[in-house]
Coordinates of all heavy atoms in Angstrom, one line a residue:
M1 N 0.8 -1.2 0.0 CA 0.0 0.0 0.0 C 0.9 1.3 0.0 O 0.5 2.2 -0.7 CB -0.9 0.0 1.2 CG -2.0 1.0 1.2 SD -3.0 0.8 -0.3 CE -4.3 1.8 0.0
N2 N 2.0 1.2 0.7 CA 2.9 2.4 0.7 C 3.5 2.7 -0.6 O 3.6 3.8 -1.0 CB 4.0 2.2 1.8 CG 3.5 2.3 3.2 OD1 2.5 2.9 3.4 ND2 4.3 1.7 4.1
F3 N 3.7 1.6 -1.4 CA 4.3 1.8 -2.7 C 3.3 2.6 -3.6 O 3.7 3.5 -4.3 CB 4.6 0.5 -3.4 CG 5.1 0.6 -4.8 CD1 6.4 1.0 -5.1 CD2 4.3 0.3 -5.9 CE1 6.8 1.2 -6.4 CE2 4.7 0.5 -7.2 CZ 6.0 0.9 -7.4
I4 N 2.0 2.2 -3.6 CA 1.0 2.8 -4.4 C 0.9 4.3 -4.0 O 0.8 5.2 -4.9 CB -0.3 2.1 -4.3 CG1 -0.2 0.7 -4.9 CG2 -1.4 2.9 -4.9 CD1 -1.4 -0.2 -4.6
S5 N 0.9 4.6 -2.7 CA 0.8 6.0 -2.3 C 2.0 6.8 -2.7 O 1.9 7.9 -3.1 CB 0.7 6.0 -0.7 OG -0.5 5.4 -0.3
A6 N 3.2 6.2 -2.6 CA 4.4 6.9 -3.0 C 4.4 7.1 -4.5 O 4.8 8.2 -5.0 CB 5.6 6.0 -2.6
Q7 N 4.0 6.1 -5.3 CA 3.9 6.3 -6.7 C 2.9 7.4 -7.1 O 3.2 8.2 -8.0 CB 3.4 5.0 -7.4 CG 3.5 4.9 -8.9 CD 4.9 4.8 -9.4 OE1 5.7 4.2 -8.8 NE2 5.2 5.5 -10.5
A8 N 1.8 7.5 -6.5 CA 0.8 8.5 -6.7 C 1.3 9.9 -6.4 O 1.1 10.8 -7.1 CB -0.5 8.2 -5.9
T9 N 2.1 10.0 -5.3 CA 2.7 11.3 -4.9 C 3.7 11.7 -5.9 O 3.8 12.9 -6.3 CB 3.3 11.2 -3.5 OG1 2.3 10.8 -2.6 CG2 3.9 12.4 -3.1
K10 N 4.5 10.8 -6.4 CA 5.5 11.1 -7.4 C 4.9 11.5 -8.7 O 5.3 12.5 -9.3 CB 6.4 9.8 -7.6 CG 7.6 10.1 -8.5 CD 8.5 8.8 -8.5 CE 9.8 9.1 -9.3 NZ 10.6 7.9 -9.3
D11 N 3.8 10.8 -9.1 CA 3.2 11.2 -10.4 C 2.5 12.5 -10.2 O 2.6 13.3 -11.2 CB 2.1 10.1 -10.7 CG 2.7 8.8 -11.1 OD1 3.9 8.7 -11.5 OD2 1.9 7.8 -11.2
A12 N 1.9 12.8 -9.1 CA 1.2 14.1 -8.9 C 2.3 15.3 -8.9 O 2.1 16.3 -9.5 CB 0.5 14.2 -7.6
T13 N 3.4 15.0 -8.3 CA 4.5 16.0 -8.3 C 5.1 16.2 -9.7 O 5.3 17.4 -10.1 CB 5.6 15.5 -7.3 OG1 5.1 15.3 -6.0 CG2 6.8 16.5 -7.3
M14 N 5.3 15.1 -10.5 CA 5.8 15.3 -11.8 C 4.8 16.1 -12.7 O 5.1 16.9 -13.5 CB 6.1 13.9 -12.5 CG 7.4 13.3 -11.9 SD 8.0 11.9 -12.9 CE 7.0 10.6 -12.2
A15 N 3.5 15.8 -12.5 CA 2.4 16.4 -13.3 C 2.4 17.9 -13.0 O 2.4 18.8 -13.9 CB 1.1 15.8 -13.0
E16 N 2.6 18.3 -11.7 CA 2.6 19.7 -11.3 C 3.8 20.4 -11.9 O 3.7 21.5 -12.4 CB 2.7 19.8 -9.8 CG 2.7 21.2 -9.2 CD 2.7 21.3 -7.7 OE1 2.8 20.2 -7.1 OE2 2.7 22.4 -7.2
S17 N 5.0 19.7 -11.9 CA 6.2 20.3 -12.5 C 6.0 20.5 -14.0 O 6.5 21.5 -14.5 CB 7.4 19.4 -12.2 OG 7.7 19.4 -10.8
I18 N 5.4 19.6 -14.6 CA 5.2 19.7 -16.1 C 4.3 20.9 -16.4 O 4.6 21.7 -17.2 CB 4.6 18.4 -16.7 CG1 5.6 17.3 -16.6 CG2 4.0 18.6 -18.1 CD1 5.1 15.9 -16.9
L19 N 3.2 21.0 -15.7 CA 2.2 22.1 -15.9 C 2.9 23.4 -15.6 O 2.6 24.4 -16.4 CB 1.0 21.9 -15.0 CG 0.1 20.7 -15.5 CD1 -0.9 20.4 -14.4 CD2 -0.6 21.1 -16.8
K20 N 3.8 23.5 -14.6 CA 4.5 24.8 -14.3 C 5.5 25.1 -15.4 O 5.8 26.3 -15.7 CB 5.1 24.7 -13.0 CG 4.2 24.8 -11.8 CD 4.9 24.7 -10.5 CE 4.0 24.9 -9.3 NZ 4.7 24.8 -8.0
S21 N 6.1 24.1 -16.0 CA 7.1 24.3 -17.0 C 6.6 24.6 -18.4 O 7.4 25.0 -19.3 CB 8.1 23.1 -17.0 OG 8.6 22.9 -15.8
M22 N 5.4 24.2 -18.7 CA 4.9 24.4 -20.0 C 4.8 25.9 -20.4 O 4.5 26.7 -19.6 CB 3.5 23.7 -20.2 CG 3.6 22.2 -20.1 SD 2.0 21.4 -20.1 CE 1.3 22.1 -21.6
Q23 N 5.0 26.1 -21.7 CA 4.9 27.5 -22.3 C 3.9 27.5 -23.4 O 3.9 26.6 -24.3 CB 6.2 28.0 -22.7 CG 7.2 28.1 -21.6 CD 8.6 28.5 -22.1 OE1 8.8 28.8 -23.3 NE2 9.6 28.4 -21.3
T24 N 3.0 28.5 -23.5 CA 2.1 28.6 -24.6 C 2.8 28.6 -25.9 O 3.8 29.3 -26.1 CB 1.2 29.9 -24.4 OG1 0.6 29.8 -23.1 CG2 0.2 30.0 -25.5
G25 N 2.2 27.8 -26.8 CA 2.8 27.7 -28.2 C 4.0 26.8 -28.3 O 4.6 26.7 -29.4
K26 N 4.5 26.2 -27.2 CA 5.6 25.3 -27.3 C 5.2 23.9 -27.0 O 4.3 23.6 -26.3 CB 6.6 25.7 -26.2 CG 7.1 27.2 -26.2 CD 8.3 27.3 -27.1 CE 8.8 28.7 -27.1 NZ 10.1 28.9 -27.5
T27 N 6.0 23.0 -27.6 CA 5.7 21.6 -27.4 C 6.6 21.1 -26.2 O 7.7 21.5 -26.1 CB 6.1 20.7 -28.6 OG1 5.3 21.1 -29.7 CG2 5.9 19.2 -28.4
F28 N 6.0 20.4 -25.3 CA 6.6 19.9 -24.1 C 6.7 18.4 -24.2 O 5.6 17.7 -24.4 CB 5.9 20.3 -22.8 CG 6.6 20.0 -21.6 CD1 7.4 21.0 -20.9 CD2 6.6 18.7 -21.0 CE1 8.1 20.7 -19.8 CE2 7.3 18.4 -19.8 CZ 8.0 19.4 -19.2
I29 N 7.8 17.8 -24.1 CA 8.0 16.3 -24.2 C 8.5 15.8 -22.8 O 9.5 16.4 -22.3 CB 9.0 15.9 -25.3 CG1 8.4 16.4 -26.6 CG2 9.1 14.4 -25.3 CD1 9.3 16.1 -27.8
H30 N 7.8 14.8 -22.3 CA 8.2 14.2 -21.0 C 8.4 12.7 -21.2 O 7.4 12.1 -21.6 CB 7.2 14.5 -19.9 CG 7.5 13.9 -18.6 ND1 8.5 14.3 -17.8 CD2 7.0 12.8 -18.0 CE1 8.6 13.6 -16.7 NE2 7.7 12.6 -16.9
Y31 N 9.5 12.2 -20.9 CA 9.8 10.8 -21.0 C 9.6 10.2 -19.6 O 10.2 10.7 -18.6 CB 11.2 10.5 -21.5 CG 11.4 11.0 -22.9 CD1 12.0 12.2 -23.2 CD2 11.0 10.2 -24.0 CE1 12.3 12.7 -24.4 CE2 11.2 10.7 -25.3 CZ 11.9 11.9 -25.5 OH 12.1 12.4 -26.8
N32 N 8.9 9.1 -19.5 CA 8.8 8.4 -18.2 C 8.6 6.9 -18.4 O 8.3 6.5 -19.5 CB 7.6 9.0 -17.4 CG 6.3 8.9 -18.1 OD1 5.8 9.9 -18.7 ND2 5.7 7.7 -18.1
G33 N 8.8 6.2 -17.3 CA 8.6 4.8 -17.4 C 7.1 4.5 -17.6 O 6.2 5.3 -17.3
N34 N 6.8 3.3 -18.1 CA 5.5 2.8 -18.4 C 4.5 3.0 -17.3 O 3.4 3.5 -17.5 CB 5.5 1.4 -18.8 CG 4.2 0.8 -19.2 OD1 3.4 1.5 -19.9 ND2 3.9 -0.3 -18.6
Y35 N 4.9 2.7 -16.1 CA 4.0 2.7 -14.9 C 3.4 4.1 -14.7 O 2.3 4.3 -14.1 CB 4.6 2.1 -13.7 CG 3.6 1.8 -12.6 CD1 2.9 0.7 -12.7 CD2 3.5 2.6 -11.5 CE1 1.9 0.3 -11.7 CE2 2.6 2.3 -10.5 CZ 1.8 1.2 -10.6 OH 0.9 0.9 -9.6
H36 N 4.2 5.2 -15.0 CA 3.8 6.5 -14.7 C 2.7 7.1 -15.7 O 2.1 8.1 -15.4 CB 5.0 7.5 -14.8 CG 6.0 7.2 -13.8 ND1 5.8 7.5 -12.4 CD2 7.2 6.6 -13.8 CE1 6.9 7.1 -11.7 NE2 7.7 6.5 -12.6
S37 N 2.4 6.3 -16.7 CA 1.3 6.8 -17.6 C 0.5 5.6 -18.2 O -0.3 5.7 -19.1 CB 1.8 7.6 -18.8 OG 2.8 6.9 -19.5
K38 N 0.7 4.4 -17.6 CA 0.0 3.2 -18.0 C -1.5 3.4 -18.1 O -2.1 3.9 -17.1 CB 0.4 2.1 -17.1 CG -0.1 0.7 -17.5 CD 0.5 -0.4 -16.6 CE 0.1 -1.7 -17.1 NZ 0.7 -2.8 -16.2
E39 N -2.1 3.0 -19.2 CA -3.5 3.0 -19.3 C -4.1 4.5 -19.0 O -5.2 4.6 -18.5 CB -4.2 2.0 -18.5 CG -3.9 0.6 -19.0 CD -4.6 -0.5 -18.2 OE1 -5.6 -0.2 -17.5 OE2 -4.1 -1.7 -18.2
F40 N -3.3 5.5 -19.4 CA -3.7 6.9 -19.3 C -3.9 7.3 -17.8 O -4.7 8.2 -17.5 CB -4.9 7.2 -20.1 CG -4.7 6.9 -21.6 CD1 -5.2 5.7 -22.1 CD2 -4.1 7.8 -22.4 CE1 -5.0 5.4 -23.5 CE2 -3.8 7.5 -23.7 CZ -4.3 6.4 -24.2
G41 N -3.2 6.6 -16.9 CA -3.3 7.0 -15.5 C -2.0 7.8 -15.1 O -1.4 8.4 -15.9
G42 N -1.7 7.8 -13.8 CA -0.5 8.4 -13.3 C -0.4 9.9 -13.7 O -1.3 10.7 -13.5
I43 N 0.7 10.2 -14.2 CA 1.0 11.6 -14.6 C 0.0 12.1 -15.6 O -0.5 13.3 -15.4 CB 2.4 11.7 -15.3 CG1 3.5 11.3 -14.3 CG2 2.7 13.2 -15.7 CD1 4.9 11.1 -15.0
Y44 N -0.4 11.3 -16.6 CA -1.4 11.7 -17.6 C -2.7 12.1 -16.9 O -3.3 13.2 -17.1 CB -1.6 10.6 -18.5 CG -2.7 10.9 -19.6 CD1 -2.2 11.3 -20.9 CD2 -4.0 10.7 -19.4 CE1 -3.2 11.6 -21.9 CE2 -4.9 11.0 -20.4 CZ -4.5 11.4 -21.6 OH -5.4 11.7 -22.6
W45 N -3.2 11.3 -16.0 CA -4.4 11.5 -15.2 C -4.3 12.8 -14.4 O -5.3 13.6 -14.5 CB -4.7 10.4 -14.3 CG -6.1 10.5 -13.7 CD1 -7.3 10.1 -14.2 CD2 -6.3 11.1 -12.4 NE1 -8.3 10.4 -13.2 CE2 -7.7 11.0 -12.1 CE3 -5.5 11.6 -11.4 CZ2 -8.3 11.5 -11.0 CZ3 -6.1 12.1 -10.2 CH2 -7.5 12.0 -10.0
Y46 N -3.3 13.0 -13.7 CA -3.1 14.3 -12.9 C -3.1 15.5 -13.8 O -3.7 16.5 -13.4 CB -1.9 14.2 -12.1 CG -2.0 13.3 -10.8 CD1 -1.4 12.1 -10.8 CD2 -2.8 13.7 -9.7 CE1 -1.5 11.2 -9.7 CE2 -2.9 12.9 -8.6 CZ -2.3 11.6 -8.6 OH -2.4 10.8 -7.6
I47 N -2.4 15.5 -14.9 CA -2.4 16.6 -15.8 C -3.8 16.9 -16.4 O -4.3 18.0 -16.4 CB -1.4 16.4 -17.0 CG1 0.0 16.5 -16.4 CG2 -1.6 17.5 -18.1 CD1 1.1 16.2 -17.4
K48 N -4.5 15.8 -16.8 CA -5.9 16.0 -17.3 C -6.8 16.6 -16.3 O -7.8 17.3 -16.6 CB -6.4 14.7 -17.9 CG -5.8 14.4 -19.3 CD -6.3 15.4 -20.3 CE -6.1 15.0 -21.7 NZ -6.5 16.0 -22.7
Q49 N -6.6 16.3 -15.0 CA -7.5 16.8 -14.0 C -7.3 18.3 -13.9 O -8.3 19.1 -13.7 CB -7.1 16.2 -12.6 CG -7.4 14.7 -12.5 CD -8.9 14.4 -12.8 OE1 -9.8 14.9 -12.1 NE2 -9.1 13.6 -13.8
Q50 N -6.1 18.8 -14.1 CA -5.9 20.3 -14.1 C -6.2 21.0 -15.4 O -6.5 22.2 -15.4 CB -4.4 20.5 -13.7 CG -4.1 20.0 -12.3 CD -4.9 20.8 -11.2 OE1 -5.0 22.0 -11.2 NE2 -5.5 20.0 -10.3
N51 N -5.9 20.3 -16.5 CA -6.1 20.9 -17.8 C -6.7 19.9 -18.8 O -6.0 19.3 -19.6 CB -4.8 21.4 -18.3 CG -4.9 22.3 -19.5 OD1 -5.9 22.3 -20.2 ND2 -3.9 23.1 -19.8
P52 N -8.0 19.7 -18.7 CA -8.7 18.6 -19.5 C -8.6 18.9 -21.0 O -8.7 17.9 -21.8 CB -10.1 18.6 -19.1 CG -10.3 19.8 -18.2 CD -9.0 20.3 -17.8
N53 N -8.4 20.1 -21.5 CA -8.3 20.4 -22.9 C -6.9 20.3 -23.5 O -6.7 20.5 -24.7 CB -8.9 21.8 -23.2 CG -10.3 21.9 -22.8 OD1 -11.1 21.0 -23.1 ND2 -10.7 23.0 -22.2
L54 N -5.9 20.0 -22.7 CA -4.5 19.9 -23.1 C -4.4 18.7 -24.1 O -4.9 17.6 -23.8 CB -3.6 19.8 -21.9 CG -2.1 19.8 -22.2 CD1 -1.7 21.2 -22.7 CD2 -1.3 19.5 -20.9
K55 N -3.7 19.0 -25.2 CA -3.4 17.9 -26.1 C -2.2 17.1 -25.6 O -1.2 17.7 -25.5 CB -3.2 18.4 -27.5 CG -4.4 19.0 -28.2 CD -4.0 19.5 -29.6 CE -5.1 20.2 -30.3 NZ -4.7 20.6 -31.6
M56 N -2.4 15.8 -25.4 CA -1.3 14.9 -25.0 C -1.4 13.6 -25.7 O -2.5 13.2 -26.2 CB -1.4 14.7 -23.5 CG -1.2 15.8 -22.6 SD -0.9 15.4 -20.8 CE -2.4 14.5 -20.4
A57 N -0.3 13.0 -25.8 CA -0.3 11.6 -26.4 C 0.6 10.7 -25.5 O 1.6 11.2 -24.9 CB 0.3 11.7 -27.8
V58 N 0.2 9.5 -25.3 CA 0.9 8.5 -24.6 C 1.5 7.5 -25.6 O 0.8 7.0 -26.4 CB 0.1 7.7 -23.6 CG1 0.9 6.6 -22.9 CG2 -0.4 8.7 -22.5
I59 N 2.8 7.3 -25.6 CA 3.5 6.4 -26.5 C 4.1 5.3 -25.7 O 4.8 5.6 -24.8 CB 4.6 7.2 -27.3 CG1 4.0 8.4 -28.1 CG2 5.3 6.2 -28.3 CD1 5.0 9.3 -28.7
S60 N 3.8 4.1 -26.1 CA 4.4 2.9 -25.4 C 5.4 2.2 -26.4 O 5.2 2.2 -27.6 CB 3.3 1.9 -25.0 OG 2.6 2.5 -23.9
V61 N 6.4 1.7 -25.8 CA 7.4 1.0 -26.6 C 7.4 -0.5 -26.2 O 7.3 -0.9 -25.1 CB 8.9 1.5 -26.3 CG1 9.9 0.7 -27.1 CG2 8.9 3.0 -26.6
F62 N 7.3 -1.3 -27.3 CA 7.2 -2.8 -27.1 C 8.3 -3.4 -27.9 O 8.7 -3.0 -29.0 CB 5.9 -3.3 -27.6 CG 4.7 -2.8 -26.8 CD1 4.0 -1.7 -27.3 CD2 4.3 -3.4 -25.7 CE1 2.9 -1.2 -26.7 CE2 3.2 -2.9 -25.0 CZ 2.5 -1.8 -25.5
E63 N 8.8 -4.6 -27.4 CA 9.7 -5.4 -28.2 C 8.8 -6.6 -28.8 O 7.9 -7.0 -28.1 CB 10.8 -6.0 -27.3 CG 11.9 -5.1 -27.0 CD 13.1 -5.9 -26.4 OE1 12.8 -6.7 -25.5 OE2 14.2 -5.6 -26.8
S64 N 9.2 -7.0 -30.0 CA 8.4 -8.1 -30.6 C 9.3 -9.0 -31.4 O 10.2 -8.5 -32.1 CB 7.3 -7.5 -31.5 OG 6.6 -8.5 -32.1
E65 N 9.0 -10.3 -31.2 CA 9.8 -11.3 -32.1 C 9.0 -11.5 -33.4 O 9.5 -12.1 -34.3 CB 9.9 -12.6 -31.3 CG 10.9 -12.4 -30.1 CD 11.0 -13.7 -29.4 OE1 10.6 -14.8 -29.8 OE2 11.7 -13.7 -28.3
D66 N 7.8 -11.0 -33.5 CA 6.9 -11.1 -34.7 C 7.6 -10.4 -35.8 O 7.9 -9.2 -35.7 CB 5.6 -10.6 -34.3 CG 4.6 -10.8 -35.5 OD1 4.9 -10.7 -36.7 OD2 3.4 -11.0 -35.1
P67 N 7.8 -11.1 -37.0 CA 8.4 -10.4 -38.1 C 7.6 -9.2 -38.6 O 8.2 -8.3 -39.3 CB 8.6 -11.5 -39.2 CG 7.8 -12.7 -38.7 CD 7.5 -12.5 -37.2
E68 N 6.3 -9.2 -38.3 CA 5.5 -8.1 -38.8 C 5.4 -7.0 -37.7 O 4.7 -6.0 -37.8 CB 4.1 -8.6 -39.1 CG 4.2 -9.5 -40.4 CD 2.8 -9.9 -40.8 OE1 1.8 -9.1 -40.6 OE2 2.7 -10.9 -41.5
L69 N 6.2 -7.2 -36.6 CA 6.3 -6.2 -35.5 C 4.9 -5.8 -34.9 O 4.5 -4.7 -34.9 CB 7.1 -5.0 -35.9 CG 8.5 -5.2 -36.3 CD1 9.2 -3.9 -36.7 CD2 9.3 -5.8 -35.1
K70 N 4.2 -6.9 -34.5 CA 2.9 -6.7 -33.8 C 3.2 -6.7 -32.3 O 4.1 -7.4 -31.9 CB 1.9 -7.7 -34.2 CG 1.6 -7.7 -35.7 CD 0.6 -8.8 -36.0 CE 0.2 -8.7 -37.5 NZ -0.6 -9.9 -37.9
V71 N 2.4 -5.9 -31.6 CA 2.5 -5.9 -30.2 C 2.1 -7.3 -29.6 O 1.0 -7.8 -29.9 CB 1.6 -4.8 -29.5 CG1 1.6 -4.9 -28.0 CG2 1.9 -3.4 -30.0
P72 N 3.0 -7.9 -28.8 CA 2.6 -9.2 -28.2 C 1.3 -9.0 -27.4 O 1.3 -8.1 -26.6 CB 3.8 -9.5 -27.3 CG 4.9 -8.7 -27.9 CD 4.3 -7.5 -28.5
A73 N 0.3 -9.8 -27.6 CA -1.0 -9.7 -26.9 C -0.8 -9.6 -25.4 O -1.5 -8.9 -24.7 CB -1.9 -10.9 -27.2
K74 N 0.2 -10.4 -24.8 CA 0.3 -10.4 -23.3 C 0.9 -9.0 -22.8 O 0.7 -8.7 -21.7 CB 1.3 -11.5 -22.9 CG 2.7 -11.3 -23.4 CD 3.6 -12.4 -22.9 CE 5.0 -12.3 -23.4 NZ 5.8 -11.1 -23.0
D75 N 1.5 -8.2 -23.7 CA 2.1 -7.0 -23.3 C 1.2 -5.7 -23.6 O 1.5 -4.6 -23.2 CB 3.4 -6.8 -24.0 CG 4.5 -7.8 -23.5 OD1 4.4 -8.3 -22.4 OD2 5.3 -8.1 -24.3
Y76 N 0.2 -5.9 -24.4 CA -0.6 -4.8 -24.9 C -1.2 -4.0 -23.8 O -1.8 -4.5 -22.8 CB -1.7 -5.2 -25.8 CG -2.5 -4.0 -26.3 CD1 -2.0 -3.1 -27.3 CD2 -3.8 -3.7 -25.8 CE1 -2.7 -2.0 -27.7 CE2 -4.5 -2.6 -26.2 CZ -3.9 -1.8 -27.1 OH -4.6 -0.6 -27.5
I77 N -1.1 -2.6 -23.9 CA -1.6 -1.7 -23.0 C -2.3 -0.6 -23.8 O -1.7 -0.1 -24.8 CB -0.5 -1.0 -22.1 CG1 0.2 -2.1 -21.3 CG2 -1.1 0.0 -21.2 CD1 1.5 -1.6 -20.7
P78 N -3.5 -0.2 -23.5 CA -4.1 0.9 -24.3 C -3.2 2.2 -24.3 O -2.7 2.6 -23.2 CB -5.4 1.2 -23.6 CG -5.7 -0.1 -22.8 CD -4.4 -0.6 -22.5
T79 N -3.0 2.7 -25.4 CA -2.1 3.9 -25.6 C -2.5 4.6 -26.9 O -3.2 4.1 -27.7 CB -0.7 3.4 -25.6 OG1 0.2 4.5 -25.5 CG2 -0.3 2.6 -26.8
D80 N -2.0 5.8 -27.1 CA -2.2 6.6 -28.3 C -1.4 6.0 -29.5 O -1.9 5.9 -30.6 CB -1.9 8.1 -28.1 CG -2.9 8.7 -27.2 OD1 -4.1 8.6 -27.4 OD2 -2.4 9.4 -26.3
F81 N -0.2 5.7 -29.2 CA 0.8 5.2 -30.2 C 1.6 4.1 -29.6 O 2.0 4.1 -28.5 CB 1.7 6.3 -30.7 CG 1.0 7.5 -31.3 CD1 0.7 8.6 -30.6 CD2 0.6 7.4 -32.6 CE1 0.1 9.7 -31.1 CE2 0.0 8.5 -33.2 CZ -0.3 9.6 -32.5
N82 N 1.9 3.1 -30.4 CA 2.7 2.0 -30.0 C 4.0 2.0 -30.9 O 3.9 1.9 -32.1 CB 2.0 0.6 -30.2 CG 0.9 0.5 -29.2 OD1 1.0 0.8 -28.1 ND2 -0.3 0.1 -29.7
L83 N 5.1 2.1 -30.3 CA 6.4 2.0 -31.0 C 6.9 0.5 -30.8 O 7.1 0.1 -29.7 CB 7.4 3.0 -30.5 CG 8.8 2.9 -31.1 CD1 8.8 3.2 -32.6 CD2 9.7 3.9 -30.4
I84 N 7.0 -0.2 -31.9 CA 7.3 -1.6 -31.8 C 8.7 -1.9 -32.4 O 8.9 -1.5 -33.6 CB 6.2 -2.5 -32.4 CG1 4.9 -2.1 -31.9 CG2 6.5 -4.0 -32.2 CD1 3.7 -2.6 -32.7
I85 N 9.6 -2.4 -31.6 CA 10.9 -2.6 -32.1 C 11.2 -4.1 -32.1 O 10.7 -4.9 -31.2 CB 12.0 -1.9 -31.2 CG1 11.9 -2.3 -29.8 CG2 11.8 -0.4 -31.4 CD1 13.0 -1.7 -28.9
P86 N 12.1 -4.6 -33.0 CA 12.4 -6.0 -33.0 C 13.3 -6.4 -31.7 O 14.0 -5.5 -31.3 CB 13.2 -6.2 -34.3 CG 13.6 -4.9 -34.7 CD 12.7 -3.9 -34.1
T87 N 13.1 -7.6 -31.2 CA 13.9 -8.0 -30.0 C 15.4 -8.0 -30.3 O 16.1 -7.8 -29.3 CB 13.4 -9.4 -29.5 OG1 13.5 -10.3 -30.6 CG2 12.0 -9.3 -29.0
D88 N 15.8 -8.1 -31.5 CA 17.2 -8.2 -31.8 C 17.8 -6.8 -32.2 O 18.9 -6.7 -32.6 CB 17.5 -9.2 -32.9 CG 16.9 -8.8 -34.2 OD1 16.0 -7.9 -34.3 OD2 17.2 -9.5 -35.2
M89 N 17.0 -5.8 -32.0 CA 17.5 -4.4 -32.2 C 18.7 -4.1 -31.3 O 18.7 -4.5 -30.1 CB 16.4 -3.4 -32.0 CG 16.8 -2.0 -32.3 SD 15.3 -1.0 -32.2 CE 16.0 0.6 -32.0
T90 N 19.7 -3.4 -31.8 CA 20.8 -3.0 -30.9 C 20.3 -2.1 -29.8 O 19.5 -1.2 -30.0 CB 21.8 -2.2 -31.8 OG1 22.2 -3.0 -32.9 CG2 23.0 -1.8 -31.0
K91 N 20.8 -2.4 -28.6 CA 20.5 -1.7 -27.4 C 21.7 -1.3 -26.7 O 22.8 -1.9 -26.8 CB 19.6 -2.5 -26.5 CG 18.3 -3.0 -27.1 CD 17.6 -3.9 -26.2 CE 16.4 -4.5 -26.8 NZ 16.6 -5.5 -27.8
T92 N 21.6 -0.2 -25.8 CA 22.8 0.2 -25.0 C 22.7 -0.5 -23.7 O 23.6 -0.3 -22.9 CB 22.8 1.7 -24.9 OG1 21.6 2.1 -24.3 CG2 23.0 2.4 -26.2
F93 N 21.7 -1.3 -23.4 CA 21.6 -2.0 -22.2 C 20.7 -3.2 -22.4 O 20.0 -3.3 -23.4 CB 21.0 -1.1 -21.0 CG 19.6 -0.7 -21.3 CD1 18.5 -1.4 -20.8 CD2 19.3 0.4 -22.0 CE1 17.2 -1.1 -21.1 CE2 18.0 0.8 -22.3 CZ 16.9 0.1 -21.8
K94 N 20.7 -4.1 -21.5 CA 20.0 -5.4 -21.6 C 18.6 -5.2 -20.9 O 18.6 -4.9 -19.8 CB 20.7 -6.5 -21.0 CG 20.0 -7.8 -21.2 CD 20.8 -9.0 -20.7 CE 20.0 -10.3 -20.9 NZ 20.7 -11.4 -20.4
I95 N 17.5 -5.4 -21.7 CA 16.2 -5.4 -21.1 C 15.9 -6.8 -20.4 O 16.1 -7.8 -21.1 CB 15.1 -5.1 -22.1 CG1 15.4 -3.7 -22.7 CG2 13.7 -5.2 -21.5 CD1 14.4 -3.3 -23.8
Q96 N 15.5 -6.8 -19.2 CA 15.3 -8.0 -18.5 C 13.8 -8.3 -18.4 O 13.0 -7.5 -18.2 CB 15.9 -8.0 -17.2 CG 17.4 -7.9 -17.3 CD 18.1 -7.9 -15.9 OE1 17.5 -8.2 -14.9 NE2 19.3 -7.4 -15.9

């Protein structure tokens, strides 16, 4: 239970910082781990509570062994865009 509360506090704080840093007419990009915007929750949810008309997109990255680069069904999460990369793509670190 403490983890969930800590995560929510962190997401709310990041959302507040994003909203304070945004400038009219400028694009703001924020990179975060999946859990912080999974299924349009977390940071996304907190920002939308403060500014429901703000245009935002959630992009998820998936690895796929499928030659047609389809999102593996077990990994699918609702999102605006899915970036699908082959599992053998060069990486600077090992995904576990």
